[in-house]
Amino acid sequence: MEKTALKPKIPLEKQVLMTVNGDEAVAYAVKQSYVDVVAAYPITPQTIIVEKYSEFVNDGLVHTEFVPVESEHSAMSACVGAAAAGARAFTATSSQGLALMVEIVYIASAMRLPIVMAVVNRALSAPINIHNDHSDAYLMRDSGWIQLFVENVQEAYDTTIQAFKIAEDPRVQLPVAVNLDGFFLSHTLEEVYMLPDDEVYGFLGGPRKTVNVKVDYFEEEVPFTLNPARPISLGSLDLYDYYFEHKVQQVEAMKAVPQVVREVNEEWYRLTGRRYGDGVLRAHWVDDADIVVVAMGSGAGTVRSVVRKLREKGERIGLLQLRMFRPFPYSEVAEKLSGAKLVVVMDKAIGPGAFGALYEDVAVSLYDSGERPMLVDYIYGLGGRDLQPSLVYKMIEEAKRDLEAKRVERKIRYLGVRE
């Protein structure tokens, strides 16, 4: 949360302060978002989300159709059917659960369905591991979903509500994945400021957007959804005569996303006093930095605390924190890194035989720059290994030696691994 002089519409004293973990914060956000259908299958470490939400359903606190399915593949399938019929739909998953549902993940985005999914990031097997890294998020990076990463539990709550507004914006109409680090956030208690229900209702404009029409016995209709009064076809067979054009339409839809994300971030700021950079990325001490670290997720908070201490000593180190990973903000990243001499990219996943996915995107961003900074890729935190401040200091010291030598000997490095 960033300090600001703005007087928000709902000041902190009128917001509800609760002590919750990240999973509970997401569940409360979904509770306030007037969701019609939640399709649920448990998997560690996201299970608390759907367990908590099932309590809301059982206690009559929400009027949601709660569908306990037999697999993650079915969970996303149920969301596809619900969203196609005009419902506001939500699910959550992690790791192997996302891998199992990935067939339908691609279908959801190609059908332009504004589903919201919490992805509580967990390492992919094998070996079996229930703790955090970003390999599951990287698995779906080309699926056509918007991917947002949060740093803390407050941001998880805020971003989940924002995700529905982003997904349903008529300029977008795409699904959104809200990524929060497993256990580091999902099971960690924080004090979180939550809005009154009616304020979330107003922010989202009520239930999923409708148009006032009356066709036979149908009083309202969500545009471009399955309705026997206004027949349309979704997800039909599409061979070489039109498939190419329809895929390009997905790409074109993605172009509107950064602007919508920024607008929603600013609207949330005016309402609550909280915003997250410009909604797309957050730059910390980047303008005059010789070395800039690029990171996302909960680890960015650890990096920022170290960078702050180094800045107090007069060292020209910066941090560029990505909140939106897809669509990737290539031009914005290039602009922010234009003055750096060396860029350190932190990937919380490994790609055997390749660089990390975040590194590759940063490299593409800088490719056409006149004077490109040197680049190095640090793989860290696999399987939930802790990112201790001492490791960040070590990484920056190595980067300073690279800068002094004016060359990077090892382009891929492993931070905190026993070698």
Side-chain angles (χ1 to χ4, degrees), residues 38-44 46-47 50 66-76 91-94 97 100-101:
V38 170
Y41 190 84
I43 183 171
T44 303
Q46 78 80 9
T47 303
V50 294
F66 188 86
V67 187
V69 293
E70 76 280 6
S71 72
E72 291 86 358
H73 187 282
S74 297
M76 185 54 65
T91 189
T93 194
S94 299
L100 181 59
M101 72 162 60

Side-chain angles (χ1 to χ4, degrees), residues 8 47 55 126 140 208 232 284 318 365 368:
T47 303
E55 294 175 13
M140 67 177 295
R208 187 173 168 192
I232 64 171
H284 308 278
S365 299
D368 291 325

